[in-house]
């Protein structure tokens, strides 16, 4: 299950609102689902996705921010992935991806850049999982 971490404001799971008065919502309703979809795409692309695997990956979204400021934009996404093998917890660690980039004064330029960077943060977060977690070590 991929879900928003308990105690987090529900809006964090479904919208980014610090985009110069605009908000951004994920295509499938929640940022947790976006995280899961990103993981499935990455595993499938690597030839490693197996719905019948003995490893079960779940995650809680612990942070999701995007700030499209005038000169410098920042973004952050964090999650606590867990891996269970045959029901036994074998991995549990919070990981984050952060980014900063130069921004334009023009909202028509800055907003699409912030939206693209937001998607890239989810991919970077999932990529960090593969560098900190060796599924070979869990076999």
């Amino acid at each position: 299950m991929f879900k928003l971490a308990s105690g987090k404001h529900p809006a964090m799971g479904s919208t980014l609102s610090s985009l110069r008065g605009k908000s951004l919502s994920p295509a499938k309703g929640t940022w947790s689902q976006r995280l899961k979809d990103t993981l499935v795409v990455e595993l499938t692309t690597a030839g490693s996705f197996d719905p019948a695997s003995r490893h079960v990956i779940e995650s809680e979204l612990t942070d999701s921010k995007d700030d499209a400021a005038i000169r410098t934009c920042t973004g952050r996404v964090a999650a606590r992935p867990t891996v269970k093998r045959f029901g036994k917890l074998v991995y549990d660690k919070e990981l984050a991806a952060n980014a900063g980039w130069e921004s334009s004064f023009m909202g028509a330029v800055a907003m699409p850049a912030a939206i693209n960077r937001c998607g890239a943060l989810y991919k970077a977060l999932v990529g960090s999982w593969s560098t900190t977690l060796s599924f070979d070590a869990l076999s």
Side-chain angles (χ1 to χ4, degrees):
M1 175 179 284
F2 282 66
K3 63 182 181 176
L4 183 64
S6 62
K8 298 295 181 179
H9 192 283
M12 187 182 89
S14 60
T15 189
L16 289 175
S17 58
S18 58
L19 300 172
R20 296 189 188 179
K22 305 284 185 194
S23 63
L24 174 66
S25 296
K28 292 188 179 177
T30 68
W31 293 112
S32 299
Q33 183 64 44
R34 171 76 181 255
L35 184 60
K36 179 181 180 181
D37 293 346
T38 302
L39 177 63
V40 169
V41 166
E42 293 298 311
L43 288 173
T44 301
T45 301
S48 299
F49 182 69
D50 179 4
S53 173
R54 61 184 175 201
H55 294 102
V56 176
I57 302 172
E58 297 180 335
S59 185
E60 291 185 335
L61 184 67
T62 58
D63 201 5
S64 182
K65 299 176 187 173
D66 210 11
D67 184 4
I70 298 297
R71 289 202 167 104
T72 303
C73 294
T74 59
R76 173 180 166 80
V77 63
R80 176 175 290 284
T82 60
V83 179
K84 294 179 182 175
R85 185 177 71 207
F86 299 118
K88 180 182 176 190
L89 185 65
V90 294
Y91 183 85
D92 181 358
K93 182 178 181 182
E94 184 172 15
L95 300 169
N98 298 285
W101 59 96
E102 289 186 29
S103 180
S104 172
F105 175 77
M106 301 288 294
V109 174
M111 297 304 296
I115 291 167
N116 289 336
R117 294 288 180 138
C118 176
L121 277 171
Y122 280 82
K123 189 171 181 174
L125 179 61
V126 168
S128 75
W129 293 5
S130 65
T131 60
T132 60
L133 171 63
S134 169
F135 284 98
D136 293 336
L138 299 175
S139 343

